[in-house]
Amino acid sequence: MSKVLLIDDDVELVGMFQEYLTQEGFDARAVHDGESGAAEALTGLYAIAILDVMMPRMNGLETLRRIRAGSNLPILMLTARGDDTDRIVGLELGADDYVTKPCTPRELTARIRAILRRSQAAPHDASGLAPLTVGQLTMWPEQRRVSWAGAHLELTSTEFNLLEVLVRHAGKPVSKNQLSELGLGRPMARFDRNIDVHLSSLRRKLGSLADGRSCLQTVYRLGYQLIKE
């Protein structure tokens, strides 16, 4: 049973989400302020955290920053409809995805399952052990581990998923729609900048090629491509 942490000051809404998630087979716990939420998330007991942006005392973005300083726990942000700034900042700080409020318990549960399905996915390799290597980049999908030139890289769950898709298609452009389907487990919504923000973060974390170029390139009108030297 996956443990879900709900961090939101709206007691009535969280109670509804908690009841629905419990009926769907999750073990859901709720806290109602950012400080308590960050502390609880860092216990390592949860499979995912649902984090509201608008909270008193310590808002969701600061809570996310505190969690990310000590954990790569998958985090789904709840953002106000039309507030693109909070969404982009949340993704840049390491959120895995977002849902706009108001949302239904069914929609929230579907998004949780999509994130968990990707973060807990079984390895694709038949051997279950063979690493994936492209140049100086090496991935161990079954261990959810990645390195560049032998140095470990800290990636969020979604960053890892997207990078794995690009590694498996190295040398070929992958469309944003494909990345969303394979990396996020959902179709890309209209005007969705999720993929762009995650790939921008990945580009900063990955090393450069011998000629100084980023190994992750944007291919005009086609998507993104991991350069295969």
Side-chain angles (χ1 to χ4, degrees), residues 9 21 23 34 47 62 68 73 75 80 82-83 98 102 156 170-171 177 181 195 197 207 210 218 222:
D9 65 316
L21 287 167
Q23 292 174 354
E62 183 55 39
R68 275 291 168 259
L73 174 73
I75 295 177
D83 197 338
Y98 61 82
T156 67
N177 285 327
E181 289 277 6
I195 296 298
V197 177
T218 302
L222 293 178

Side-chain angles (χ1 to χ4, degrees), residues 165-190:
V165 174
L166 291 165
V167 166
R168 293 184 183 279
H169 294 80
K172 301 177 182 178
V174 184
S175 72
K176 292 181 185 179
N177 285 327
Q178 284 179 289
L179 285 167
S180 187
E181 289 277 6
L182 297 174
L184 302 182
R186 64 174 177 83
M188 189 177 73
R190 191 179 183 189

Side-chain angles (χ1 to χ4, degrees), residues 5 11 73 91-92 99 104 106 128 130 155 157 162 174 180 204:
L5 176 63
V11 176
L73 174 73
L91 293 172
E92 289 176 339
V99 173
T104 65
R106 183 176 180 180
L155 303 181
S157 176
L162 293 171
V174 184
S180 187
R204 290 193 299 270

Side-chain angles (χ1 to χ4, degrees), residues 200-211:
S200 177
S201 176
L202 267 177
R203 187 178 279 120
R204 290 193 299 270
K205 293 181 179 183
L206 294 173
S208 300
L209 301 174
D211 60 7

Side-chain angles (χ1 to χ4, degrees), residues 121-186:
H124 296 280
D125 295 283
S127 68
L129 297 173
L132 304 174
T133 301
V134 178
Q136 298 189 74
L137 178 68
T138 304
M139 299 187 78
W140 293 264
E142 73 287 348
Q143 299 174 17
R144 309 270 313 164
R145 186 163 60 91
V146 58
S147 69
W148 180 275
H152 176 70
L153 297 182
E154 286 288 344
L155 303 181
T156 67
S157 176
T158 295
E159 287 170 353
F160 187 96
N161 295 339
L162 293 171
L163 182 58
E164 183 180 353
V165 174
L166 291 165
V167 166
R168 293 184 183 279
H169 294 80
K172 301 177 182 178
V174 184
S175 72
K176 292 181 185 179
N177 285 327
Q178 284 179 289
L179 285 167
S180 187
E181 289 277 6
L182 297 174
L184 302 182
R186 64 174 177 83

Side-chain angles (χ1 to χ4, degrees), residues 9-62:
D9 65 316
D10 189 331
V11 176
E12 183 177 352
L13 178 66
V14 168
M16 179 179 65
F17 285 156
Q18 191 172 12
E19 181 178 355
Y20 188 88
L21 287 167
T22 300
Q23 292 174 354
E24 290 295 306
F26 292 95
D27 180 2
R29 182 183 175 188
V31 294
H32 303 295
D33 67 88
E35 290 187 7
S36 300
E40 190 67 22
L42 290 170
T43 62
L45 298 176
Y46 298 90
I48 188 171
I50 314 305
L51 177 60
D52 186 35
V53 170
M54 299 300 294
M55 289 188 294
R57 294 173 56 192
M58 188 166 77
N59 66 31
L61 296 177
E62 183 55 39

Side-chain angles (χ1 to χ4, degrees), residues 53-109:
V53 170
M54 299 300 294
M55 289 188 294
R57 294 173 56 192
M58 188 166 77
N59 66 31
L61 296 177
E62 183 55 39
T63 303
L64 172 59
R65 186 179 286 107
R66 187 172 297 185
I67 294 172
R68 275 291 168 259
S71 173
N72 283 326
L73 174 73
I75 295 177
L76 178 64
M77 298 289 292
L78 296 177
T79 65
R81 188 175 300 278
D83 197 338
D84 293 335
T85 300
D86 280 345
R87 295 175 197 168
I88 292 172
V89 172
L91 293 172
E92 289 176 339
L93 289 174
D96 290 272
D97 205 350
Y98 61 82
V99 173
T100 55
K101 296 171 71 174
C103 64
T104 65
R106 183 176 180 180
E107 179 184 3
L108 181 69
T109 303

